[in-house]
Amino acid sequence: MTTCLNTKNTKGEAGIAGSRKIPSLPGLPILGNLLDPRPDRLGFLMRVNRECGDIAQFRIGPRRIVQLNSPEYVQSVLVDNDYAFFEKSPVLRQYLRPVFGNGLLSI
């Protein structure tokens, strides 16, 4: 069993907007955690939650994945601050708003 690396900045001080660095699941060079989810993807995600907590990151090859495990964090990203995380094209807004209304996909 590996443990999550706490990647707080060295002084333990808050970073931008009061945030701290995200705890990271250790992985292989280049591959990151690419092989970890096999054969049990759900088990892997549960392990990330168990070892790293409410917010965690891991790598799949060169891509960094951030996993949110708290309803408060999910709401903050998907609802309260969606404009900071997702950019939707005007075309996407034009066609999805009449179908879905003002929501995650169309605002």
Side-chain angles (χ1 to χ4, degrees):
M1 179 171 156
T2 60
T3 58
C4 194
L5 299 175
N6 190 347
T7 56
K8 279 195 286 192
N9 42 18
T10 55
K11 295 180 182 176
E13 297 171 350
I16 297 172
S19 64
R20 296 188 186 274
K21 292 201 176 183
I22 300 170
S24 176
L25 193 67
L28 299 171
I30 301 174
L31 295 177
N33 304 97
L34 181 65
L35 304 176
D36 290 354
R38 296 181 186 184
D40 182 14
R41 287 185 216 143
L42 180 58
F44 170 72
L45 296 175
M46 291 171 62
R47 181 180 135 222
V48 171
N49 179 27
R50 189 173 51 252
E51 294 182 17
C52 296
D54 286 339
I55 184 168
Q57 67 180 342
F58 56 92
R59 287 184 320 105
I60 301 293
R63 195 161 266 324
R64 180 176 72 128
I65 309 295
V66 176
Q67 178 176 319
L68 304 174
N69 301 307
S70 159
E72 293 82 15
Y73 287 144
V74 172
Q75 177 166 344
S76 178
V77 169
L78 295 180
V79 179
D80 301 337
N81 299 298
D82 67 321
Y83 57 87
F85 293 96
F86 306 102
E87 185 175 327
K88 298 170 185 100
S89 72
V91 174
L92 184 67
R93 289 182 185 160
Q94 176 184 357
Y95 291 106
L96 292 181
R97 187 171 283 143
V99 177
F100 293 111
N102 292 329
L104 293 175
L105 299 175
S106 60
I107 290 182

